[in-house]
Amino acid sequence: MNAAYRQLTIFQLLLTGHTVAKAQLAEKFGVSSRMIQRDLSQIRQFIADQQLFYQLHYHRQSGGYQLEATPAPISKQALLLLIKIALASRSLTKAEMSRTIDGLLQLISPADQAEIRPIIKNERFYYQPVHHGQPLLKTVWELSRFISQQQTIVITYQRQHREIVTRTILPEAIIFSEYYFYVIAYNAKYHSNLFYRVDRIHQLHTTNQAPITRTRAERFEDGEMRQLVHYMQPGKKITLRFKFWGIVEAALDRFPTATVIDRYPDEGAVLIEATAFDRGAQMWLLSQGAQVQVLAPAEFVTHLRTELQRMLARY
């Protein structure tokens, strides 16, 4: 029996809850106690290198070594929620989603894994990603590194109508919204931050051109933008007011800056004020049908009225 097979046998005994003693193992395998001690040391090193949720301890009372489970860095409850969110996002290919879930499960003990796997089995089997079919893990990681390094890059990008363009940009943030990852990047040519869907980036690389520089005050604040943008639609920042007859919590959750400033009990409505970018706000407001009536600002109301008339003309 070679050393590798002997160590695997010892490790299997430990994993199945057995207490192993050096003298007994030495007799069993026909080797010295020093050799068994070396095996145990290598098993301990393997556990540490692989970040397994065990520690190898010597127990004086039993006169042998045992594996003891260590607390996982994340609870099984929190990890289940993360997996559920990942599956609902539909953002990764089947292969990448499978690797991601398997990797997350390795953060908890085998016993906890056994509890979670049946819970997600059906949803995982029927997982259907969005249609672009592009692997994203590597690209998102590369873009994140360029952001942290404030590195100017060149991308080959497929626009909405399949036109291929080349852009020199300074990536500043990565945002996930409605099934897609976006990189928000400063484009010096247009002197503005633009949104690029990550799955439409065909190539990206650094450049020897003069770097795009931004002062700290000019840098993009992705946390603030999260409160203002909807459906990743940029536009003009406005403060709007609208009466709402639907589920109030849904409207407040859609607009993080929203507050209820008046109530109409007789109508079953509330008056909500929120700050948002107009294009994304318009998309959500129109989706609410007769549950909403926008009151301000006047220019936005006029625009919505025109859009509604165009919609009606199609029927």
Side-chain angles (χ1 to χ4, degrees):
M1 182 182 294
N2 61 34
Y5 190 88
R6 185 177 65 247
Q7 291 165 12
L8 286 172
T9 304
I10 296 172
F11 192 39
Q12 183 184 37
L13 288 170
L14 291 165
L15 284 173
T16 51
H18 290 81
T19 300
V20 298
K22 285 194 296 183
Q24 293 174 350
L25 291 174
E27 183 179 353
K28 175 182 176 68
F29 295 116
V31 296
S32 66
S33 295
R34 180 177 296 180
M35 186 70 71
I36 296 298
Q37 183 62 56
R38 185 180 304 168
D39 292 339
L40 293 169
S41 297
Q42 292 186 354
I43 290 172
R44 182 180 282 111
Q45 186 62 49
F46 175 79
I47 291 170
D49 291 344
Q50 298 301 313
Q51 298 181 349
L52 303 180
F53 301 103
Y54 298 102
Q55 287 184 341
L56 184 60
H57 286 293
Y58 179 75
H59 292 268
R60 291 185 180 276
Q61 292 181 344
S62 60
Y65 291 85
Q66 292 179 345
L67 277 184
E68 293 183 358
T70 58
I74 184 172
S75 71
K76 60 185 177 183
Q77 296 89 347
L79 191 126
L80 175 61
L81 291 183
L82 289 175
I83 292 175
K84 285 281 189 179
I85 291 170
L87 288 166
S89 76
R90 297 178 54 204
S91 59
L92 301 177
T93 64
K94 283 189 176 183
E96 287 192 328
M97 183 61 72
S98 182
R99 291 200 302 272
T100 298
I101 292 174
D102 289 340
L104 288 171
L105 287 171
Q106 292 304 311
L107 296 175
I108 57 177
S109 69
D112 289 342
Q113 292 180 39
E115 281 192 76
I116 288 181
R117 289 186 188 278
I119 299 173
I120 63 173
K121 181 179 179 180
N122 188 265
E123 192 173 1
R124 190 173 181 180
F125 178 80
Y126 286 103
Y127 174 72
Q128 185 62 47
V130 289
H131 288 88
H132 60 68
Q134 298 298 315
L136 296 178
L137 292 178
K138 180 181 178 182
T139 305
V140 169
W141 177 253
E142 289 179 337
L143 287 167
S144 299
R145 292 182 62 195
F146 291 140
I147 290 168
S148 64
Q149 297 166 4
Q150 299 179 35
Q151 177 70 58
T152 301
I153 64 172
V154 176
I155 63 172
T156 302
Y157 187 73
Q158 177 182 307
R159 300 182 66 181
Q160 185 174 359
H161 300 293
R162 298 189 176 278
E163 177 190 2
I164 303 297
V165 297
T166 300
R167 296 287 185 262
T168 300
I169 60 173
L170 177 66
E172 298 197 289
I174 291 178
I175 297 288
F176 176 79
S177 179
E178 280 82 35
Y179 308 118
Y180 304 112
F181 284 94
Y182 297 82
V183 57
I184 294 86
Y186 183 75
N187 188 310
K189 178 179 178 180
Y190 298 104
H191 304 288
S192 63
N193 286 308
L194 300 178
F195 299 173
Y196 300 92
R197 251 176 58 181
V198 173
D199 59 279
R200 292 180 177 169
I201 297 175
H202 291 183
Q203 295 180 347
L204 70 162
H205 57 83
T206 57
T207 175
N208 293 326
Q209 301 176 25
I212 300 172
T213 57
R214 304 270 277 164
T215 66
R216 182 174 294 275
E218 292 173 326
R219 290 178 194 168
F220 181 78
E221 296 290 343
D222 51 340
E224 180 184 13
M225 192 210 70
R226 277 243 180 240
Q227 299 184 6
L228 304 175
V229 73
H230 300 83
Y231 308 109
M232 293 310 291
Q233 294 291 323
K236 180 182 177 183
K237 184 177 177 180
I238 61 172
T239 297
L240 58 95
R241 290 189 176 191
F242 59 94
K243 288 178 73 173
F244 190 63
W245 285 265
I247 300 173
V248 176
E249 184 182 18
L252 297 180
D253 287 343
R254 174 56 64 175
F255 296 94
T257 61
T259 55
V260 175
I261 59 175
D262 206 351
R263 296 180 182 271
Y264 308 96
D266 294 341
E267 299 181 51
V270 297
L271 180 63
I272 294 175
E273 182 176 270
T275 301
F277 291 138
D278 55 357
R279 288 171 55 184
Q282 172 185 304
M283 291 177 67
W284 186 83
L285 291 165
L286 290 176
S287 75
Q288 300 305 297
Q291 300 274 45
V292 66
Q293 179 189 10
V294 181
L295 304 177
E299 181 182 0
F300 187 58
V301 173
T302 299
H303 178 76
L304 280 180
R305 186 179 293 114
T306 301
E307 187 68 17
L308 287 167
Q309 289 170 348
R310 292 174 58 195
M311 290 170 62
L312 184 60
R314 294 188 181 275
Y315 291 90

